[in-house]
């Protein structure tokens, strides 16, 4: 981690101590005080260019904040707002000016230009945190190339189909029906670029959630006494927990390596991110299962903290492509792109070795 | 192996050099890619050719015939050899752990005697640790070394001794003091030259029809007092530090990778179903992540750390992956393994299936390794 990343992680931890997270599941959006503090501190635009009102730091620095939040079980729109929406808008020089945003990919969009006005039509499926968002930053795929459109959520023509995800957070679809955008510009970011970045973001979040699960489960096994001794003293429990710890470490290693690769050559970065999302998504389910097995029935009660992290592991493995989707991306590189699977494994940069 | 210690272009050039060499060897028919080639691929001439190119004893000091290079450079060379299924078994144990062990614990005479030969790919080693009654429970070894002034007399039996029948020397863990009740105390290591008139080496055939390992019986075999390796009574500690090198290297997740590459070739040729594509992508991703974790261990070892827990994790996940890869490819390809006859792919598949039980046993069973991880988590 860079010095800045370490500082940001520590500062985020301090905020979390000030505004404790309610860890019941299904959850509600973490207190607005925490979100306000993150906005105030400028932590929600860490790697947004300075000319768009951001801090101009690196993606890895922003991911350090996300890691701290996800590891603490805070339910905030940090991933969608700070790492995707603000970054997307910032890439075309637009600042969100303190409005809380989410991000939506509209694959087959229609963008009509009517003088100065730009109207967006199309569907976005699987949008997180849409109920709390004031604006949505849409990346619209059009025959003329991708367009970034920033729309207010209360604008006429924005139809929200809002439900909740496994953690209880707002999650649903948005139907844009000729919505007049507050801002629109041709996007230098493609839909694939955004999905790749989203996959990295959620790989990091999954690793952070897995780390929390491991720590909590080790602690629980040491404290919980059954048959006259702590669970941790039973070999069967030790074996399960050791496996889970190893899988968690693999997830953390994958997320870190993909973060490192993200600042380098684009092809290598995409391969690394694909691999990291596959590994974190696959092992997320095994880690969650082992944690629940060791916690016993208490672990799936609403008031127990474990559910906050395991519902995240189950839900986030699907965000921005699940393991199957990214496995297809790697297979494409290997079978259609003619790249040796071994080259993908080694990565393009020996400095990474 | 701190980052930046070796420039990227140096590593890149080294990797290219090794790949060019391997391509030429393959084109010349000098070897046929094998699964688990660090166990199965015994080819002294190939080892010598690697030695001539300066790719063995890479991290050994130049004064002992080594190359004086870094652990990351060794990592690059070994992973390329394994991924190509090259026949590296002859020198593997000598280069991987005997050279570093002798460098760390040996006398000046032992260093000068063995390290140059290891580095030139002409001196091969075997390791005598396990015994008929001491498999994973290494501290209960009973082979005894009795000191007689200028000599030691060795009595006992070692088992699963890979390559003893072709090795020029073996390292032996024996009890010099106390009894088996003393467990980790009173053990010492010896370097014993082979063959020896009073050391009987019997091949142990395994289910693949090959005899990679042996039972080695010491009939009061007398060796010179200079055969002691390191400090009398410190054998356990010396063996444990050797194991850190043994447990986390690329051979703990790449043993079956040649099968993946062979299968990829078939998919390119004949086309792939969506399920096959998914399997290919998933296996590639898992190998990528395991490699990152193994590199992390190598970095920590190089920085003087003791990443025992991380090394145990690499071996637990890596060796499980080696077997998972075989099942996944078997399922997805629908191919039927053939031990002999058939295509190269069918032969490699058979080799892989028959070797799978060994992956999670050798170098400490995965249950033992999880015990080490549990201890690291503060559970024991």
């Amino acid at each position: 981690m860079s010095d800045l990343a370490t500082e940001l992680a520590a500062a985020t931890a301090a905020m979390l101590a000030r505004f404790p997270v309610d860890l019941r599941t299904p959850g509600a959006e973490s207190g607005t005080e925490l979100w306000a503090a993150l906005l105030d501190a400028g932590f929600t635009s860490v790697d947004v260019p300075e000319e768009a009102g951001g801090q101009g730091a690196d993606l890895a620095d922003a991911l350090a904040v996300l890691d701290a939040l996800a590891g603490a079980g805070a339910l905030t729109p940090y991933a969608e707002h700070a790492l995707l929406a603000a970054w997307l808008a910032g890439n075309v020089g637009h600042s969100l000016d303190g409005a809380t945003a989410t991000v939506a990919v509209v694959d087959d969009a229609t963008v009509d230009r009517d003088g100065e006005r730009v109207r967006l039509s199309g569907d976005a499926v699987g949008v997180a945190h849409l109920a709390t968002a004031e604006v949505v930053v849409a990346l619209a795929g059009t025959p003329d190339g991708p367009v970034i459109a920033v729309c207010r959520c209360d604008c006429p023509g924005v139809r929200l189909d809002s439900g909740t995800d496994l953690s209880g957070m707002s999650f649903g679809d948005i139907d844009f029906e000729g919505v007049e955008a507050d801002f629109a510009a041709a996007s230098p970011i493609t839909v694939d670029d955004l999905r790749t970045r989203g996959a990295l973001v959620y790989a990091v979040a999954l690793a952070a959630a897995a780390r929390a699960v491991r720590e909590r489960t080790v602690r629980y096994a040491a404290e919980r006494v059954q048959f006259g001794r702590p669970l941790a003293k039973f070999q069967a429990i030790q074996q399960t927990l050791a496996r889970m710890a190893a899988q968690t470490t693999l997830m953390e290693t994958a997320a870190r390596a993909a973060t490192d690769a993200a600042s380098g050559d684009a092809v290598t970065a995409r391969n690394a991110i694909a691999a990291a999302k596959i590994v974190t998504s696959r092992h997320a389910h095994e880690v969650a299962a082992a944690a629940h097995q060791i916690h016993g029935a208490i672990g799936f009660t609403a008031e127990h903290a474990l559910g906050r992290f395991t519902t995240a592991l189950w839900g986030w493995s699907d965000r921005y492509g699940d393991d199957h989707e990214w496995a297809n991306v790697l297979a494409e590189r290997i079978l259609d792109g003619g790249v040796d699977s071994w080259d993908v494994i080694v990565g393009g940069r020996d400095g990474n070795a | 192996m701190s980052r930046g210690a070796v420039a990227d272009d140096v590593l890149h050039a080294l990797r290219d050099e090794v790949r060019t060499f391997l391509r030429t060897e393959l084109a010349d028919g000098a070897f046929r890619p094998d699964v688990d080639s660090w166990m199965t691929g015994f080819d002294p001439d190939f080892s010598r050719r690697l030695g001539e190119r300066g790719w063995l004893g890479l991290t050994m000091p130049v004064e002992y015939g080594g190359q004086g290079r870094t652990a990351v450079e060794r990592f690059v060379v070994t992973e390329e050899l394994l991924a190509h299924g090259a026949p590296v078994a002859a020198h593997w144990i000598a280069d991987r752990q005997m050279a570093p062990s002798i460098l760390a614990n040996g006398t000046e005479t032992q260093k000068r005697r063995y390290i140059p030969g290891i580095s030139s790919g002409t001196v091969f080693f075997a390791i005598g640790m396990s015994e008929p009654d001491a498999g994973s429970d290494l501290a209960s070894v009973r082979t005894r070394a009795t000191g007689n002034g200028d000599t030691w007399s060795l009595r006992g039996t070692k088992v699963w001794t890979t390559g003893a029948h072709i090795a020029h020397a073996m390292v032996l863990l024996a009890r010099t003091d106390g009894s088996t009740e003393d467990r980790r105390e009173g053990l010492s290591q010896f370097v014993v030259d082979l063959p020896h008139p009073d050391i009987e080496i019997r091949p142990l055939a395994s289910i693949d029809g090959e005899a990679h390992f042996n039972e080695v019986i010491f009939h009061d075999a007398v060796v010179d007092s200079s055969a002691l390796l390191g400090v009398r009574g410190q054998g356990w500690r010396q063996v444990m530090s050797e194991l850190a090198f043994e447990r986390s290297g690329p051979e703990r997740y790449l043993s079956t990778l040649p099968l993946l590459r062979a299968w990829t070739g078939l998919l390119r040729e004949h086309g792939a179903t969506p399920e096959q594509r998914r399997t290919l992508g998933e296996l590639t991703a898992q190998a990528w992540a395991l490699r990152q974790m193994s590199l992390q261990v190598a970095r920590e070892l190089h920085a003087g750390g003791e990443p025992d827990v991380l090394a145990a994790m690499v071996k637990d996940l890596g060796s499980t992956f080696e077997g998972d890869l075989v099942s996944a490819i078997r399922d997805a390809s629908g191919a039927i393994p053939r031990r002999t006859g058939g295509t190269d792919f069918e032969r490699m598949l058979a080799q892989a299936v028959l070797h799978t039980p060994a992956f999670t046993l050798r170098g400490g069973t995965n249950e033992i390794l999880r015990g080490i991880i549990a201890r690291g988590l503060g559970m024991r």
Side-chain angles (χ1 to χ4, degrees):
Chain A
M1 269 214 257
S2 69
D3 290 347
L4 179 59
T6 309
E7 273 176 41
L8 287 169
T12 308
M15 280 182 205
L16 285 158
R18 218 155 9 111
F19 309 112
V21 176
D22 177 350
L23 290 173
R24 280 173 299 186
T25 302
E29 196 90 28
S30 291
T32 48
E33 295 99 329
L34 175 64
W35 186 244
L38 289 164
L39 280 169
D40 279 353
F43 285 14
T44 50
S45 57
V46 173
D47 78 328
V48 173
E50 285 176 77
E51 51 276 24
Q55 314 303 316
D58 296 329
L59 170 59
D61 301 320
L63 288 170
V65 177
L66 174 74
D67 175 88
L69 291 170
L75 292 175
T76 68
Y78 192 84
E80 283 69 25
H81 173 98
L83 280 155
L84 301 171
W87 169 80
L88 207 52
N91 263 280
V92 284
H94 181 75
S95 167
L96 296 176
D97 288 329
T100 299
T102 191
V103 64
V105 177
V106 187
D107 279 311
D108 295 308
T110 312
V111 174
D112 292 321
R113 290 184 183 276
D114 167 15
E116 288 296 294
R117 291 191 293 197
V118 174
R119 293 186 185 276
L120 170 68
S121 298
D123 295 330
V125 178
V127 180
H129 296 280
L130 70 175
T132 47
E134 295 161 81
V135 298
V136 55
V137 178
L139 182 61
T142 78
D144 303 325
V147 171
I148 292 171
V150 181
C151 310
R152 273 173 293 110
C153 290
D154 58 4
C155 204
V158 176
R159 295 164 62 104
L160 302 180
D161 177 6
S162 178
T164 50
D165 68 5
L166 292 169
S167 304
M169 291 315 300
S170 155
F171 185 82
D173 306 328
I174 306 179
D175 183 8
F176 297 90
E177 289 177 1
V179 177
E180 186 179 335
D182 284 353
F183 173 89
S187 175
I189 313 289
T190 65
V191 169
D192 269 355
D193 293 339
L194 182 68
R195 281 199 211 282
T196 304
R197 187 174 163 102
L200 173 62
V201 165
Y202 274 100
V204 169
L206 282 164
R211 185 182 66 228
V213 166
R214 178 190 58 202
E215 285 165 3
R216 284 171 182 277
T217 308
V218 168
R219 208 180 318 141
Y220 182 77
E223 288 165 3
R224 171 72 167 166
V225 173
Q226 291 280 270
F227 305 102
R229 49 187 176 145
L231 289 182
K233 296 297 164 197
F234 291 88
Q235 270 198 354
I237 300 287
Q238 290 175 2
Q239 294 277 312
T240 303
L241 206 37
R243 202 82 225 278
M244 181 234 257
Q247 290 173 333
T248 303
T249 304
L250 191 72
M251 291 169 72
E252 292 177 287
T253 306
R256 196 166 45 234
T259 303
D260 287 350
S263 57
D265 159 71
V267 173
T268 308
R270 189 162 147 84
N271 289 346
I273 291 167
K277 188 62 170 53
I278 293 166
V279 167
T280 50
S281 294
R282 280 168 69 86
H283 290 297
H285 296 263
E286 296 173 71
V287 167
H292 275 295
Q293 185 66 21
I294 290 175
H295 273 84
I298 192 74
F300 58 81
T301 56
E303 69 262 33
H304 198 281
L306 183 64
R308 169 59 49 88
F309 301 97
T310 53
T311 52
L313 289 174
W314 292 323
W316 294 348
S317 59
D318 292 330
R319 299 273 166 93
Y320 292 93
D322 62 5
D323 47 339
H324 292 170
E325 193 174 326
W326 285 107
N328 277 327
V329 169
L330 286 187
E332 247 172 59
R333 297 272 305 141
I334 295 162
L335 295 178
D336 312 326
V339 178
D340 192 329
S341 50
W342 176 235
D343 275 324
V344 174
I345 293 165
V346 170
R349 302 185 309 159
D350 274 321
N352 205 22
Chain B
M1 202 189 311
S2 61
R3 284 193 186 189
V6 185
D8 283 6
D9 53 347
V10 171
L11 292 177
H12 197 71
L14 179 61
R15 190 183 297 283
D16 274 352
E17 216 184 313
V18 177
R19 286 186 179 183
T20 305
F21 165 77
L22 289 170
R23 264 197 297 273
T24 310
E25 291 271 312
L26 280 168
D28 294 350
F31 76 89
R32 173 175 83 163
D34 273 330
V35 167
D36 206 16
S37 70
W38 59 281
M39 200 55 76
T40 57
F42 177 77
D43 183 346
D45 289 336
F46 184 84
S47 296
R48 189 180 37 74
R49 290 201 291 280
L50 292 182
E52 282 166 4
R53 278 161 183 79
W55 293 336
L56 298 180
L58 267 162
T59 61
M60 292 296 111
V62 175
E63 59 172 314
Y64 301 123
Q67 301 295 324
R69 297 176 82 164
T70 59
V72 70
E73 289 167 291
R74 182 174 185 278
F75 195 100
V76 166
V77 172
T78 52
E79 70 175 358
E80 286 297 328
L81 292 168
L82 293 167
H84 285 81
V88 293
H91 67 265
W92 193 258
I93 290 168
D95 179 71
R96 176 182 70 186
Q97 74 206 88
M98 289 329 301
S101 174
I102 290 170
L103 184 70
N105 302 313
T107 60
E108 192 56 28
T109 310
Q110 286 169 328
K111 290 180 201 174
R112 295 205 178 276
R113 177 162 181 176
Y114 297 108
I115 298 176
I118 294 174
S119 302
S120 60
T122 53
V123 169
F124 309 138
F125 264 81
I127 296 181
M129 285 205 211
S130 297
E131 296 187 1
D133 294 322
S136 288
D137 179 15
L138 204 54
S140 68
V141 298
R142 292 206 295 233
T143 296
R144 187 164 278 279
T146 311
N148 309 304
D150 294 343
T151 60
W152 290 94
S153 175
L154 310 172
R155 165 177 269 189
T157 302
K158 291 291 175 183
V159 77
W160 320 129
T161 311
T162 307
H165 55 305
I166 45 89
H168 301 94
M170 73 181 285
V171 68
L172 174 74
L173 181 67
R175 187 159 287 289
T176 43
D177 303 282
S179 70
T180 49
E181 306 297 305
D182 293 310
R183 306 281 298 162
R184 297 169 182 190
E185 305 303 318
L187 296 172
S188 304
Q189 282 187 298
F190 294 88
V191 182
V192 179
D193 291 327
L194 295 175
H196 185 291
D198 299 315
I199 299 177
E200 188 185 345
I201 297 172
R202 293 183 190 158
L204 273 172
S206 39
I207 53 177
D208 65 349
E210 310 278 328
H212 310 296
F213 36 57
N214 303 273
E215 186 176 25
V216 181
I217 305 157
F218 298 83
H219 299 287
D220 296 317
V222 175
V223 295
D224 193 79
S225 61
S226 63
L228 180 71
L229 176 64
V231 180
R232 176 173 177 163
Q234 291 294 307
W236 179 264
R237 186 190 54 79
Q238 291 172 203
V239 163
M240 287 302 119
S241 64
E242 234 173 73
L243 285 176
F245 287 95
E246 189 187 323
R247 281 187 175 150
S248 62
E251 70 271 31
R252 298 303 178 186
Y253 54 93
L254 291 180
S255 300
T256 55
L257 198 84
L259 185 69
L260 181 76
R261 300 180 79 200
W263 185 50
T264 306
L266 291 179
L267 295 180
R268 281 212 184 100
E269 215 175 305
H270 304 297
T273 65
E275 188 213 347
Q276 289 171 332
R277 297 176 80 93
R278 202 164 75 203
T279 302
L280 173 64
E282 284 170 354
L283 293 171
T284 302
Q286 184 78 355
W288 171 86
L290 287 164
R291 176 175 181 273
Q292 293 295 332
M293 208 157 144
S294 172
L295 272 169
Q296 182 63 31
V297 178
R299 283 188 202 110
E300 290 184 21
L301 277 176
H302 186 70
E306 290 181 356
D308 302 7
V309 173
L310 194 60
M313 288 177 170
V314 171
K315 190 185 171 285
D316 182 19
L317 294 177
S319 58
T320 304
F321 166 72
E322 291 179 331
D324 289 348
L325 182 150
V326 179
S327 315
I329 291 182
R330 225 187 140 180
D331 285 351
S333 69
I336 295 171
R338 295 192 190 195
R339 195 171 72 80
T340 58
T343 63
D344 270 352
F345 177 68
E346 288 162 343
R347 179 187 61 80
M348 287 170 83
L349 191 57
Q351 207 174 27
V353 170
L354 293 170
H355 275 247
T356 295
F359 301 158
T360 49
L361 294 174
R362 59 192 182 194
T365 70
N366 286 32
E367 286 75 13
I368 299 273
L369 296 167
R370 285 180 214 140
I372 292 171
I373 298 167
R375 191 178 300 124
L377 293 170
M379 298 180 70
R380 296 176 64 194

